[in-house]
Amino acid sequence: MTVQVANGVVRLAGHCPVEEAEMLLTALADGARAIDLTDATRLHFALVQILAIARPAIAGLPDEPFLRDMLMPALRYPD
Amino acid sequence: MDELLQQFLIEGRELVADAHAALALLRREPRDMSALDALFRATHTLKGSVALFDMEPAEQLLHAAENRLARARTDEVPLDMPSCDALVATIDQTDRWIDALAANGVLAPEAARIAVQLSEPLAMGGEEAEPDGKTSASTDPRWLDALRLRPEFSGQLEGAATAFRYRPDADCFFRGEDPLAVVAAVPALAAIAIGRDGEWPALAAHDPFRCIAWIEGISGADADAVRAVFRLVPDQVEIAALDARDTSIAIGGEGDAKAASLRVDANKLDRLARQSGELTVALHGLHGLAAGVERLDRALGAELRRVEAAIAQANTALRASVTDIRLVSLSPVLRRLPRLARELATSLGKDIDFSLAGDDSQVDKQIADSIFEPLLHLVRNAIDHGVEDPAGRVAAGKPPRGSVALSLAVEGDRLAVTLRDDGRGIDAERIRASALGKGLVEEAEAAALSDAQAQRLIFLPGFSTAAVVSTVSGRGVGMHAVLAAVERLQGTIDLDSAPGRGTSFRISLPLAAITTRLLTVRAGDGVYGLRLDQIAETLRLEAADLYTVGAGQACVVRDRTVPVLDLGALLGFAGEGEGTARLVVTEVTGEPIALRVKALGERLDALVREPSGLLARLSGIGGTSVQGDGSVLLVLDLMELLA
């Protein structure tokens, strides 16, 4: 389980494959207000699209260099 | 003329030149991606530009060319020779339409028919495929322009070599593809952008297993390295090399690729050159003054000399900069030559491979302005008289396609221009006979000439019979006109011809600005410049020394009777009348003629420009020179005026 929700924060960790897109969508649609990417190492593009649509607040920036330096600016994080 | 149109005429022609340069590369290497991208850009920008004017057929034709190129870029239908030929024809036709727009403001009625005819070969090799959003985007070349403006890439374009636009299929997730993982593998990735055409959907309406977004990125790696990453999804990606021009666009923030440069009126440049010359003259005065002061007060004199030396140094640098600014590339000037060569070859039923090399050589603007006409003439001669028709060539044991190669190169402070053809060559014996027949040489004289000397007889005035009337200057015909034009530019022309094997002309021209020694005179209502090399001497005679011969006047100069003509009257003003006569004696017609002027002025070194516009149609005007105060001095051509 790499998608976890606690206290309104969705935590993505490790390698997050396409199958987790639906779970992420549901969590955000159900009112999760922020997302923590600190331990995420890989995000499938299906999840990235959901972040682009929902634009949740960021509770933690990813440590992984590609996600931090390439993906986050592309999603206009931090704003 | 409307400013927008004026701008278009300049830039449209530059784009035509860019397109031809890329096409020349593609003919050699049809898979040269950077040439393909350059051609695509030029075609796309041209299409956008012609849309601003009443040029609908051009827009349609360029649209067809653009689609063809888009298919070549995605490797769907690679370029073949017939496609290259069709693209050359498209660009040539666009060039003609630009000329037509400049001349008439509209395209001829048959333009629509021509556009349809030329688009047909472009549409072959696959239909215009736009089955879904994906392919229509790949035929949309605006992505690169849009990409450059994205904030995600601002400040990053300078170091980037390649841009890509990846539009994954909507159902790519089902095939197990992860577009972000693909992009993460791009070498030397500098930045990415993620977006979507149109609004993002509401979260509730989004199907998480459909791919609805695209990824764009820039990389420091070259296009081939980036393409390798996308090898499994070639139909979903577009890749383009970012060259230096793209960087300047990003810096300029404007859609104009040449934002960093400035177009300057050539007159202003001449004026700047003239003013820097005047500064030099003023410095000479200061030099004398410093010497005088030094005799009176050594310390003050030395101080003044130091200041003088500093100004002189700055002035030398200024002159070097002015010389440098005046250097322009020859490519805009020569851009018409390949097209004209192809047209002429077609009209004469010849098959010719015309090549142009070194046209990016930089020369002084004056040389660039004057070089086209003589070169066009030489090219015409090579195609018309040099290269045989295909049957003749095969009979002579040569390939049916003739070759005409024009190459330019900077050698030291000279521009070396070589035009070589592999045609029939110049038969010295026929030239001798022809010159004899026309009474240009005596029999004994002709017999004494070596073959190389006899070949040079083609430069004699009156030699050319197959006169190709020069369309631009309207002056002179034949090889004599070429020689005269080259000599006007202080150049030389050599000729080397082997009968049966071909001819090569070698022209050497100075690279730097050519100043002409002028004498200014007052005549009629104005001040005119006369070229000092056309003046034998100046005289001042009392009225009594002029006498009437028939309807005119004459005077005696060193025991020779010399006719006196009034320069003002020759120029259409009233004559000078009585009193002391100031005369300028010229021998340009072979015999001395004295020209009466109101007053003699100063001698100066000036940049003389070829007359243009209305002035070019007035006989007797040899050029114009911009004075230090910005006024324009008309320079008379006595040879024409007295002819």
Side-chain angles (χ1 to χ4, degrees):
Chain A
M1 184 61 119
T2 49
V3 178
Q4 297 169 338
V5 188
N7 302 325
V9 176
V10 185
R11 185 163 174 274
L12 298 183
H15 178 179
C16 305
V18 64
E19 294 76 21
E20 294 177 353
E22 198 156 24
M23 219 180 310
L24 175 65
L25 178 73
T26 309
L28 290 169
D30 286 349
R33 50 182 177 80
I35 184 155
D36 183 350
L37 295 169
T38 312
D39 297 324
T41 54
R42 220 173 125 177
L43 293 183
H44 191 278
F45 195 52
L47 281 74
V48 172
Q49 291 189 140
I50 293 168
L51 296 181
I53 296 168
R55 297 201 54 73
I58 295 290
L61 284 170
D63 287 339
E64 197 281 323
F66 173 77
L67 297 182
R68 182 187 62 215
D69 301 335
M70 297 290 157
L71 180 66
M72 287 293 110
L75 291 174
R76 316 265 170 90
Y77 288 116
D79 257 338
Chain B
M1 197 187 286
D2 168 8
E3 201 171 310
L4 189 65
L5 175 60
Q6 225 164 11
Q7 189 78 1
F8 168 67
L9 293 180
I10 296 170
E11 290 180 358
R13 285 165 174 162
E14 284 176 358
L15 289 165
V16 164
D18 290 350
H20 272 313
L23 272 164
L25 291 172
L26 285 169
R27 267 180 185 279
R28 282 199 289 277
E29 176 47 59
R31 286 181 182 271
D32 182 333
M33 283 313 284
S34 66
L36 190 57
D37 288 340
L39 179 58
F40 187 91
R41 258 203 312 276
T43 308
H44 172 65
T45 314
L46 264 175
K47 186 187 84 170
S49 304
V50 300
L52 299 172
F53 302 94
D54 196 4
M55 299 180 82
E56 209 188 323
E59 193 183 345
Q60 285 166 356
L61 178 56
L62 288 163
H63 180 70
E66 191 184 358
N67 279 336
R68 177 67 189 86
L69 289 167
R71 293 204 303 277
R73 282 172 112 202
T74 54
D75 252 8
E76 188 183 332
V77 190
L79 284 189
D80 49 8
M81 276 305 144
S83 303
C84 281
D85 289 343
L87 289 164
V88 168
T90 295
I91 301 298
D92 277 355
Q93 186 57 50
T94 306
D95 195 21
R96 266 177 233 123
W97 279 332
I98 294 174
D99 287 348
L101 191 73
N104 315 318
V106 288
L107 305 188
E110 69 266 22
R113 183 183 53 74
I114 295 173
V116 171
Q117 199 183 337
L118 291 176
S119 331
E120 275 166 14
L122 293 169
M124 291 199 296
E127 288 307 303
E128 274 191 41
E130 296 196 21
D132 55 25
K134 168 198 99 199
T135 323
S136 83
S138 73
T139 58
D140 180 5
R142 280 172 298 186
W143 71 270
L144 197 56
D145 292 334
L147 179 146
R148 290 190 194 99
L149 297 173
R150 290 197 199 291
E152 290 90 337
F153 301 134
S154 88
Q156 307 253 29
L157 284 161
E158 195 149 356
T162 306
F164 63 85
R165 177 171 172 80
Y166 179 20
R167 302 176 59 90
D169 281 344
D171 45 6
C172 70
F173 299 163
F174 291 109
R175 292 198 300 264
E177 293 171 15
D178 177 1
L180 193 66
V182 175
V183 169
V186 170
L189 192 64
I192 62 172
I194 292 170
R196 163 176 169 74
D197 294 340
E199 295 287 301
W200 291 102
L203 196 55
H206 175 57
D207 171 355
F209 300 113
R210 274 182 71 81
C211 183
I212 61 167
W214 46 249
I215 308 175
E216 289 179 354
I218 55 175
S219 151
D222 66 26
D224 288 340
V226 174
R227 188 166 295 110
V229 171
F230 292 101
R231 67 194 175 280
L232 297 178
V233 289
D235 54 329
Q236 302 176 33
V237 71
E238 286 174 273
I239 293 166
L242 290 165
D243 56 24
R245 282 170 64 135
D246 299 332
T247 312
S248 78
I249 294 168
I251 293 165
E254 296 286 333
D256 183 359
K258 304 225 162 60
S261 61
L262 188 66
R263 290 187 195 284
V264 177
D265 179 0
N267 275 323
K268 289 185 182 165
L269 216 52
D270 286 357
R271 188 175 164 188
L272 181 64
R274 184 72 208 283
Q275 285 166 333
S276 80
E278 284 176 2
L279 187 56
T280 308
V281 174
L283 262 172
H284 289 319
L286 187 59
H287 186 76
L289 185 65
V293 170
E294 202 162 27
R295 277 195 294 275
L296 297 173
D297 181 334
R298 275 189 83 81
L300 185 61
E303 188 66 19
L304 197 54
R305 276 192 185 283
R306 260 198 303 281
V307 174
E308 183 214 338
I311 301 176
Q313 202 176 7
N315 185 45
T316 305
L318 174 66
R319 287 186 75 94
S321 300
V322 170
T323 306
D324 191 47
I325 292 172
R326 287 182 53 92
L327 290 180
V328 295
S329 166
L330 281 169
S331 34
V333 176
L334 298 180
R335 66 175 188 90
R336 275 201 186 87
L337 264 185
R339 179 189 116 204
L340 293 172
R342 282 190 291 273
E343 286 175 355
L344 183 68
T346 307
S347 72
L348 293 169
K350 310 242 172 124
D351 188 9
I352 280 178
D353 182 16
F354 179 82
S355 69
L356 177 59
D359 53 322
D360 53 350
S361 300
Q362 296 221 322
V363 298
D364 187 80
K365 195 176 173 313
Q366 185 186 14
I367 303 279
D369 287 347
S370 316
I371 202 175
F372 178 73
E373 186 76 359
L375 289 186
L376 173 62
H377 208 112
L378 285 177
V379 169
R380 277 178 168 159
N381 265 338
I383 296 173
D384 195 359
H385 307 305
V387 177
E388 311 89 335
D389 57 30
R393 290 182 60 87
V394 171
K398 300 183 192 179
R401 178 166 234 205
S403 142
V404 177
L406 178 64
S407 65
L408 304 102
V410 171
E411 293 176 359
D413 59 353
R414 311 282 291 179
L415 176 74
V417 184
T418 309
L419 180 76
R420 182 172 289 123
D421 70 61
D422 67 347
R424 59 172 69 90
I426 298 174
D427 180 348
E429 212 35 63
R430 278 186 51 203
I431 301 295
R432 275 196 195 93
S434 175
L436 263 176
K438 291 176 185 123
L440 299 173
V441 287
E442 300 294 325
E443 194 151 359
E445 203 182 338
L449 294 174
S450 69
D451 280 0
Q453 286 169 325
Q455 285 169 342
R456 279 194 77 88
L457 292 173
I458 60 168
F459 291 117
L460 284 180
F463 181 85
S464 299
T465 45
V468 182
V469 176
S470 133
T471 48
V472 179
S473 78
R475 290 177 210 173
V477 287
M479 294 302 292
H480 175 65
V482 174
L483 180 69
V486 168
E487 286 182 342
R488 257 205 306 278
L489 297 171
Q490 298 176 8
T492 57
I493 180 163
D494 288 321
L495 148 67
D496 180 19
S497 183
R501 292 215 303 275
T503 304
S504 98
F505 287 95
R506 193 181 151 85
I507 299 175
S508 169
L509 294 167
L511 284 183
I514 304 158
T515 55
T516 309
R517 301 275 293 151
L518 295 179
L519 171 70
T520 64
V521 297
R522 290 193 68 82
D525 275 1
V527 177
Y528 299 90
L530 302 180
R531 278 165 47 187
L532 267 179
D533 64 354
Q534 294 190 333
I535 296 173
E537 62 184 311
T538 59
L539 295 171
R540 186 189 154 99
L541 293 180
E542 294 309 318
D545 293 330
L546 299 182
Y547 54 92
T548 304
V549 183
Q553 281 190 311
C555 64
V556 175
V557 180
R558 277 187 286 284
D559 298 331
R560 286 181 74 177
T561 299
V562 175
V564 176
L565 298 175
D566 191 288
L567 184 60
L570 282 176
L571 295 169
F573 299 102
E576 295 307 329
E578 305 305 312
T580 307
R582 287 169 186 84
L583 302 172
V584 175
V585 181
T586 177
E587 292 181 358
V588 288
T589 57
E591 296 295 319
I593 295 174
L595 293 169
R596 185 167 183 175
V597 298
K598 201 174 272 171
L600 298 173
E602 52 173 342
R603 288 172 186 229
L604 48 95
D605 284 308
L607 294 164
V608 178
R609 295 175 58 198
E610 297 272 308
S612 57
L614 278 176
L615 280 179
R617 293 187 220 158
L618 294 179
S619 142
I621 304 291
T624 59
S625 177
V626 178
Q627 307 279 81
D629 63 3
S631 64
V632 174
L633 180 72
L634 289 183
V635 179
L636 303 180
D637 183 344
L638 293 181
M639 203 183 308
E640 246 185 50
L641 196 66
L642 297 173

